[in-house]
Every structure is written in structure tokens, then in C-alpha cells.
Amino acid sequence: MTNFDYDLFVIGAGSGGLAASKQAAAFGAKVAIAEGDLVGGTCVIRGCVPKKLMVYASHFLHLSQEAAGYGWDIPEGEFNWDKLRDAIQAEVSRLNKLHISFLEKTNVELISGFAKFVDAHTVAVGDRLFTAERILIAVGGEASKPNLAGLEYAITSKEMFLLPKFPQRFAVVGGGYIGTEFAGIMRGLGADVTQIIRDRHILRGFDEDVRTNVQAGMINHGINFYTCIDSDSFTITKHDHALAVNFNDANGNKQTLEFDAVLAATGRKPNLAPLSLERAGIEVVNNAIAVTEDSCTNQPHIYAIGDCTDRVNLTPVAIAEGRAFADTIYGHTPRLISHTNIPSAVFSQPEAASVGLSEAKARALYGDRVKVYKTKFRPMYYAIAGGEAKTMMKLIVIGDEERVLGLHMVGKDAAEIIQGMSLVVTMGGCKKDLDNTMAMHPTAAEEFVTM
Ligand code: NDP
């Protein structure tokens, strides 16, 4: 027995905090979780979940056009933004309530309000003070905007889900996951979309073939690109009925374009400001909470997981870190999670997914010992549906045994396929293991075992 109010106080009821709190409580710990916003966090409330629903919504226009090739005469319907937005918010609200009921069922006490440190064992939520033997910080991140003139007029991904009116002329600044996904969504929903990036290609960090193939597919879907822009010249000015975006393009020519809305998808940063971390003496490095492999901060009883530690900022990683923490501390089964070979998907149009090393990283590490298998083809679906969509698959192997270092795909169902295929990389499998796997025909995924 301790003299603290709780064994564990979790700050932030997003994916990581929820997973950790429920697991710790299941092991018998007395747990409270504080949340200042809706329970569910970025992923459920204003991230992965509503985004994926918007991705689904954005497919129907294409499907109805492609249906003609298959003999269906489907009239081009009208898109109703208000209806989609409200339906998504209703689902978000259902999930929010579901997560609250999960907390109740597992005896985790929910404390509504933003928590901040008072000292290393005490947090304040409003004017209430709570003490805990251990504290877990799982506050996630928030959109960050560079200091460019007029960028305050741009919205972030957070506002995308609540737009009062559908922006017919839509610009995206940034070429990361968020910008690329929303460019595809808005184009699919019928907007005129322009994506403005400072590099030559979107999705920096992904394999070059992924970057170029996704971008080519997006251009094919009618998205306008401005690449290699001079980002220092970028400004937004507000006019009566439009936002004017001004920048110098790749040729140094001054561009002024008008939009109904501009999305700044220029990165995210840990959400640390409200926490008063200094009062608990918690070390912050590069604006993120510094943690060891087991998610412990420099204070041995304070842990941090998820985006606020800026390791690999993905929902499943935060959940895995949270569960490993609870298993280690309260389940007495110490374990670490691996932060390598984490598969990730971009729900762009075309979709992309990767696991393991890109070709460039593999060659930088292992030079000539790296071999690449690659294929690009038109999926059977489009043979009748028409269109130029292509699927690209790439396998990166090393040495005589051809151990698989990386798998990359652009095209229909890439995320579903790479999720399954990622097992090969995790298990240290070789190309011969793929060769020995019988193909399922006709599928796109069979190309990975017949290359
Ligand atoms: P990213 O860091 O992925 O991309 C930021 C983009 O903004 C880059 O293209 C970058 O350009 C550009 N940028 C940054 N600063 C400037 C500037 N001053 N001027 C012009 N461009 C600039 O951030 P996102 O916001 O897209 O995503 C944030 C996080 O959310 C990611 O870490 C990701 O893990 C997560 N996420 C994951 C998803 C998934 O798994 N499907 C979906 C959505 C989000 P450059 O490339 O030139 O540096």
C-alpha cells in the first residue's frame, strides 16, 4: 500500500494512454486518466479514424465512373459535404462514448480536464490535486506551422473534419502523410486540389519509387502540383472571398493562386506546453520528452509514450509502448518493443505502404550486397474499368541468402497487403521463403511471391 491517491496517473486519453491505463488496471493497479478533450485522442477524434472514413467517401466518384466499363450505368450523383461531415462526427461521438465505457468497465477513473505537474508525484486538474506513485505522460502531439506570413489563415488537419462549407478550390501546403492523404480525399470528393511542396517529390523518407509513383498517380487523378517552391517566399493573404497563396515556383516565377481553403500539413510537434514538465524535473530534448527504451523519463517513476516522445509517431506504436509499460511495471513481465521495421501506410490515392528499409537506406548501409526486385503493372480491375492506374511493388534483399530488408507497394490495397507481408521482414525471411509460398491467383499480392 502507498500513501498516494493512485498507483498510476495517466495524462492523456488517446490511443497510448487508454491502452496503458486499461492494461495496468487489469493487473490490479488503481488507475486514473486525465483528458482535457474528448476521450479517444487524435487517432479516434481528429486523425486516423475520421480520415479513413473520408478516404472511403472519396472513392465513390471514381467507382461510379469505373462502373461504366463493367456495364453499369450509374449517374454521377451529388456530393453532400454536410451529410458526410455529420455522419463522421456521429461515428466519432459513438467511439468516444465506447472508449469511456471501456474505462468504466476496467475501473479506470476518468478525470476531465487538462492535467499539469505540481511536483514529481502531484498533478493538478483545474483546482483539484492528485498524487500518484507513478505517472505516465501520453499527451500526443499537435499540428505545427512554420513561421510564414499569413499561415494563420491556413487550417490544420484538426479543422478539416469540421469545415462548415466544402472548399471547392483547395490547397495543401506540405508533402507528408497528412497533406498527401487530404489532397487525395478532397480531389476524390470533387474539389480542385493543388499541392505545394518544397521538395521535388512528396513523402520524404519513403523509398524513391514510392514517392514518384504516388505523385504520378495523384497527378493522374487531376491534382495540381507545385514542387521545389521557394518556401521562404511563401505567404498567404486574405481577400474577401478567397485566400491568395503567393510563392516563387521552381523556375523563380512569382505565383499567386486563389483558394477557398488552405491546409497547412507541415508537420506535428509534441503537445508539451500545458504540462509544466519543469516542476517535475522532466528532461525534454528537441521539444520531445526524453525517454529510455522502456519509455522511462529521467525521473524513474515517470514514463512517457506515443507522439510526445517523438519516436515513431504512429497509433499502433503508442499502443504497443503503453502495453509494454503496463506489462513491465504491473504485470511483472518486463518487455521492450522494437522500433525498427514498423510498417506504415499512406492512405493517398494511389495508396502506399512500406515496411523495412528503402532502397537508398539499404544501399547506404550495405552497398553492393543489396539487390532489388521490382514490378509495375496495370491491375486486372482497370483492364475493363479503364484508366492509367498502375501498381508498383518492390522487394529489397541482401546477400546470397537474399534476406528481405524492405517491401514497398503503391496501388490498390497496398496497406492491407503490406500489413500481411511485413511478417517476412519481422521474421528475417528470405526471398526463397516468398518463392516457396504458393501464389493466390488472381490477386495483386501474388506478385510478391512470384517476382
Ligand atoms: P510530415 O512531417 O510527414 O510532413 C511535413 C511536410 O511539411 C513535409 O512535406 C515538409 O517538407 C513540409 N514542410 C515542413 N516545414 C515546411 C516549410 N517551412 N515550408 C514548406 N513545407 C514545409 O508531417 P505531417 O503533418 O504530414 O504528419 C505528421 C505525422 O502524423 C507524421 O509523423 C505521421 O507519422 C503521422 N501520420 C500518420 C498517418 C498514417 O500513418 N497514415 C496519417 C497522418 C499522419 P519536406 O518534405 O521538404 O521536409
Side-chain angles (χ1 to χ4, degrees), residues 265-281:
T266 43
R268 292 177 62 81
K269 59 170 194 244
N271 198 3
L272 305 183
L275 286 173
S276 301
L277 292 173
E278 66 291 349
R279 293 195 195 155

Side-chain angles (χ1 to χ4, degrees), residues 20 69 81 94 131 143 150 152 180 182 200 217 226 264 304 331 346 377 386 392 428 450:
W81 165 250
R94 186 187 72 81
T131 61
E152 67 273 18
T180 301
F182 274 114
R200 234 157 66 83
Y226 282 91
V346 189
F377 57 95
M392 188 284 298
T450 54

Side-chain angles (χ1 to χ4, degrees), residues 42 47-48 51 142-148 151 157 173-182 195-206 211 229-232 234 264-269 307 310-316 343-348 352:
T42 301
C48 329
K51 178 275 308 284
E142 59 185 354
S144 82
K145 288 181 186 173
N147 195 12
L148 299 172
L151 213 58
S157 54
V173 185
Y177 285 82
I178 293 178
T180 301
E181 289 181 344
F182 274 114
Q195 192 164 359
I196 302 163
I197 60 173
R198 62 183 177 183
D199 201 358
R200 234 157 66 83
H201 296 119
I202 52 172
L203 299 176
R204 191 194 290 276
F206 277 83
R211 300 179 73 188
I229 70 137
D230 168 13
S231 61
D232 290 338
F234 186 95
T266 43
R268 292 177 62 81
K269 59 170 194 244
D307 290 10
D310 202 14
R311 285 177 280 179
V312 180
N313 300 330
L314 296 169
T315 295
S344 84
V346 189
F347 294 99
S348 44

Side-chain angles (χ1 to χ4, degrees), residues 40-58 81 84-85 87-93 95 157-158 160-162 181-182 185 189:
T42 301
C43 175
V44 174
I45 307 297
R46 63 192 86 83
C48 329
V49 172
K51 178 275 308 284
K52 189 78 187 273
L53 292 171
M54 281 179 84
V55 170
Y56 288 135
S58 69
W81 165 250
L84 173 65
R85 181 198 57 212
I88 290 176
Q89 286 311 306
E91 174 60 5
V92 165
S93 167
L95 292 172
S157 54
K158 188 174 170 180
M160 278 304 297
F161 303 106
L162 301 170
E181 289 181 344
F182 274 114
I185 289 168
L189 295 178

